[in-house]
Amino acid sequence: MHPRRPRGRRIAVLLLGAWLGPAAAATTLKIDSAGLTPDDVTATQSLIDDVLPRLPGTWRNGLPAGLVLQWRDDFPDHVAGRRVGGRVLLSRQLLDAWQVRDTVSADDASVRAVREALVHELAHSYDRAQRNVLSGDPRLRDLAGWQRSVFPFAGRRSRNDFVARTPDPYERERPSEFVAVNLERFILDPAYACRRPALHRHFAAHFNVAAATGACTPDLPFLDADAEAGDASLLSLDPARVYAIDYLLAEGNTQAMSRWGHSMLRLVICAPGRTPGPDCRFDLSHHRVLSFRAFVGDVQISGWRGLTGSYPSRLFLLPLDQVIEEYTRVELRGLQSIPLRLGPSEIGSLLERAAQLHWSYDGRYYFISNNCAVETWKLLHDGVPRLANEPLASITPTGLLRKLERRGIADIDVLENADEARRLGYYFEPMSARYDALFAVARDALSLPQRDAQAWLALSPGERAVWLPQADLRTSAALFVLENAAQRRQQLLLRDALKRRYLGRDASDDIARALDALRAWLGDTGFVSRPSELVPEGYGLPQADERARVAEEARIRVARLREQDGALRAELERWLPADQREVLRGIEANLETIGARLRAGDAAGAS
């Protein structure tokens, strides 16, 4: 990584003149020979002759006439070059490095830095001479990370949250620097097409050159996080195996932050060996969900923190089974899975954008302006160029679905026949009806005074415990399912409480020291929400050697967490209020009581 140029020190001058053709490329950039020896001039010309032929003809032809290269020895150490008017100014230290290039390896960092510095400043010269044709391009700004606000009057966000796996953090200073940094890689790094494929295609189309993607693997890397199994592994997702993408809506509930539901995208992935088609919808164990959330185990964001941006917003890839468990069994919320009318190439483009977000994006959650619906809209907007022209922006999940339906993008008709929708997996009903049926069994057998399962679960564990010894086997089986539901709900409440303490600005030193334990409890564990931690070097999508390290490092960390699981949970219990600890222990005692009754019944039946 070479030194960067400081911001705000360029003078934009648009020079008029005749454009030089490709045949004149060698003379497009003149040399200011003042203070240079003949050897210096020769070395400078060799640098020009090395770099200019690498540039596409459109770029060379678009440079301002009379552009001059000058070496300067008065730059700060961190400054490699500047563009001032019709001059490209480079640090004299770079010339010294170029003159000894034959004594070092061809890929030496000092030699690369010389080429990168010249390409960088020529990128600025081209962009400004062409009236910011690249840095002002809306599509490129979408891809770069200066995303549109959900509110039309607000324009674009001033902050770029694509912070991880960047070739140079300086690219986030402003769009013009993003263009210059990325054109360095577009010209000089053969792997750029694979690391940032969408940007490579965009630059290739702009400069009318072939997009070099033949050497790239078609698979996209994701960290597959399975909180229920306590596992995380690398998944290489082939877009050709994704038959469809659904808009997945978790229906709202009475919680303030969940009233309008939660928006996600479901990937209908075909099982290995199955030809992509409608039957892929039955391969549920292979389906995955793209979900923006603060932690892998989140099913809701709560309280004041969600209004003030205290939660991170990151894109997770989760098993569909886990998402169904979270919402239908724990939150008692239904899931609507609405097919989106996307072609195969659009599915591939959307998945490619999702992979970029997964490895690079670290946003902030705001209840109104950057919630799950807004994040999902931005993913659709940036990932599918056709949808960027559609008025889909919405601050609520249900509002986004209505707009997708009105524009003919979402096929809401799949829900018309409720039985068929459940059979084909377009609707996953909440478990509340099943819980009420199980409770009815217990209520009739024990003459329970509560009206429904919700009222039963609202009791304290001790109040429920007094009825357990009176239950027969059938009733005990029903109560065992309900007690498990109580445990999952209590764990959710405790996780939320710990999360708020962990993320709170007033978190104590004791809480900070319990960081690892908290992360384990929350299902975050650092690398799960930030997979880039597993491979901090490199940029863009991880390539083959990096993916191997990701897979191995994830395996090591998961194994270590499993070894520490008991100790971590015990440590976490120390940070819970005494009454919450008692509730958790009371539920565990109830489960043990019912389990013993069921085991005794099984033993009696076997004899």
Side-chain angles (χ1 to χ4, degrees):
M1 185 179 300
H2 62 274
R4 290 287 108 209
R5 279 66 43 183
R7 61 182 300 175
R9 299 192 61 180
R10 297 186 177 88
I11 304 172
V13 177
L14 185 63
L15 299 176
L16 302 178
W19 304 125
L20 300 176
T27 60
T28 300
L29 188 57
K30 299 178 181 179
I31 302 172
D32 184 341
S33 60
L36 298 182
T37 67
D39 287 344
D40 293 339
V41 174
T42 300
T44 303
Q45 187 62 55
S46 72
L47 172 63
I48 294 172
D49 293 343
D50 177 276
V51 168
L52 284 183
R54 299 173 186 263
L55 307 184
T58 303
W59 184 342
R60 294 196 303 266
N61 295 344
L63 290 172
L67 196 62
V68 175
L69 172 59
Q70 179 183 0
W71 299 102
R72 298 286 293 268
D73 57 8
D74 57 350
F75 286 164
D77 290 341
H78 67 281
V79 176
R82 295 188 179 121
R83 182 195 56 80
V84 179
R87 287 178 171 262
V88 170
L89 311 178
L90 297 181
S91 171
R92 176 58 191 251
Q93 294 178 354
L94 295 175
L95 176 58
D96 297 338
W98 182 255
Q99 287 175 314
V100 298
R101 66 189 180 282
D102 293 336
T103 66
V104 297
S105 63
D107 62 346
D108 183 78
S110 62
V111 176
R112 290 201 310 271
V114 184
R115 292 191 179 101
E116 289 170 355
L118 181 54
V119 172
H120 187 102
E121 301 307 331
L122 290 176
H124 282 308
S125 297
Y126 169 81
D127 188 46
R128 293 305 298 270
Q130 301 303 316
R131 300 180 182 273
N132 303 322
V133 65
L134 287 172
S135 60
D137 182 354
R139 174 60 179 164
L140 189 139
R141 291 194 177 197
D142 289 340
L143 295 174
W146 281 277
Q147 298 171 301
R148 293 183 185 273
S149 169
V150 69
F151 303 112
F153 60 83
R156 291 183 181 273
R157 293 167 57 88
S158 60
R159 188 178 68 193
N160 187 325
D161 287 326
F162 286 71
V163 300
R165 289 193 60 80
T166 170
D168 189 333
Y170 194 59
E171 68 174 349
R172 297 171 53 239
E173 279 290 311
R174 62 183 74 85
S176 61
E177 295 301 342
F178 184 92
V179 166
V181 168
N182 279 268
L183 283 180
E184 293 174 24
R185 271 62 188 182
F186 176 73
I187 295 299
L188 301 173
D189 183 3
Y192 185 75
C194 304
R195 292 183 176 277
R196 287 187 166 176
L199 283 164
H200 182 273
R201 288 194 302 270
H202 189 83
F203 287 133
H206 174 82
F207 290 120
N208 195 28
V209 297
T213 58
C216 302
T217 173
D219 296 344
L220 297 169
F222 287 90
L223 191 67
D224 196 15
D226 189 342
E228 294 301 313
D231 196 10
S233 59
L234 184 70
L235 174 68
S236 293
L237 177 61
D238 183 357
R241 287 183 53 220
V242 180
Y243 167 67
I245 295 181
D246 292 2
Y247 182 82
L248 189 63
L249 174 68
E251 296 171 341
N253 60 17
T254 58
Q255 299 292 325
M257 305 297 278
S258 307
R259 192 178 305 275
W260 293 276
H262 181 72
S263 60
M264 299 163 280
L265 295 177
R266 173 188 176 185
L267 310 183
V268 181
I269 303 174
C270 304
R274 186 189 295 278
T275 301
D279 286 348
C280 295
R281 289 198 167 272
F282 297 107
D283 299 329
L284 296 184
S285 63
H286 295 276
H287 294 189
R288 294 295 183 269
V289 173
L290 293 170
S291 178
F292 288 94
R293 48 179 65 186
F295 296 97
V296 67
D298 270 353
V299 291
Q300 64 181 4
I301 298 294
S302 58
W304 174 251
R305 301 296 181 192
L307 295 172
T308 59
S310 295
Y311 291 104
S313 178
R314 296 163 188 156
L315 182 60
F316 290 86
L317 185 79
L318 308 171
L320 176 64
D321 292 343
Q322 175 185 322
V323 174
I324 293 173
E325 167 78 11
E326 288 177 344
Y327 286 101
T328 65
R329 292 181 178 273
V330 180
E331 285 284 288
L332 302 182
R333 297 159 66 178
L335 285 170
Q336 301 176 19
S337 191
I338 313 300
L340 299 178
R341 294 186 174 97
L342 301 175
S345 64
E346 292 177 325
I347 289 175
S349 176
L350 181 59
L351 293 175
E352 192 178 85
R353 178 63 172 182
Q356 181 190 4
L357 287 161
H358 183 66
W359 291 98
S360 300
Y361 181 70
D362 190 5
R364 306 305 299 174
Y365 176 94
Y366 289 89
F367 178 53
I368 299 296
S369 62
N370 204 51
N371 55 38
C372 62
V374 175
E375 294 278 34
T376 303
W377 162 69
K378 289 189 297 185
L379 175 54
L380 293 169
H381 177 281
D382 299 344
V384 183
R386 171 174 64 93
L387 300 187
N389 299 318
E390 299 283 358
L392 300 175
S394 176
I395 62 172
T396 67
T398 52
L400 177 56
L401 178 57
R402 284 194 297 270
K403 290 188 175 184
L404 288 167
E405 179 189 6
R406 283 200 296 266
R407 306 303 296 183
I409 301 163
D411 183 12
I412 198 76
D413 293 343
V414 297
L415 298 181
E416 284 188 354
N417 185 316
D419 291 337
E420 278 293 282
R422 286 192 292 269
R423 186 181 72 83
L424 297 175
Y426 294 118
Y427 186 71
F428 301 93
E429 61 184 351
M431 293 294 292
S432 49
R434 183 185 176 194
Y435 289 161
D436 282 339
L438 290 171
F439 177 74
V441 171
R443 183 186 56 203
D444 293 345
L446 301 177
S447 300
L448 298 175
Q450 287 73 35
R451 65 184 183 280
D452 55 25
Q454 291 284 12
W456 171 256
L457 295 176
L459 297 175
S460 70
E463 291 173 310
R464 294 195 298 270
V466 299
W467 297 94
L468 302 184
Q470 307 173 41
D472 58 20
L473 283 178
R474 180 168 179 263
T475 304
S476 294
L479 291 176
F480 188 76
V481 174
L482 293 174
E483 202 66 23
N484 268 295
Q487 184 182 52
R488 294 283 282 117
R489 294 177 67 177
Q490 184 63 21
Q491 288 173 344
L492 176 68
L493 293 173
L494 298 181
R495 185 177 63 206
D496 185 65
L498 287 168
K499 175 180 63 185
R500 284 186 275 109
R501 292 186 69 186
Y502 165 53
L503 290 175
R505 296 185 180 92
D506 57 348
S508 66
D509 291 340
D510 287 341
I511 289 294
R513 285 194 294 271
L515 181 63
D516 289 339
L518 286 167
R519 283 181 171 173
W521 181 270
L522 296 172
D524 180 86
T525 63
F527 76 95
V528 176
S529 65
R530 290 180 179 173
S532 59
E533 289 184 8
L534 298 174
V535 57
E537 69 281 0
Y539 70 95
L541 299 181
Q543 297 305 293
D545 59 332
E546 296 169 318
R547 295 185 191 187
R549 293 200 298 274
V550 167
E552 177 62 14
E553 183 64 21
R555 185 192 64 78
I556 291 172
R557 294 198 188 191
V558 167
R560 185 164 61 241
L561 286 168
R562 285 175 176 169
E563 290 175 0
Q564 300 170 350
D565 182 69
L568 289 172
R569 290 178 180 272
E571 178 73 9
L572 279 167
E573 284 199 18
R574 296 201 304 115
W575 306 110
L576 297 175
D579 58 338
Q580 293 181 346
R581 289 201 302 271
E582 289 304 313
V583 169
L584 195 59
R585 289 169 182 168
I587 294 174
E588 292 171 351
N590 286 350
L591 287 171
E592 178 57 32
T593 297
I594 302 172
R597 178 74 180 92
L598 292 173
R599 289 191 295 273
D602 289 342
S607 61

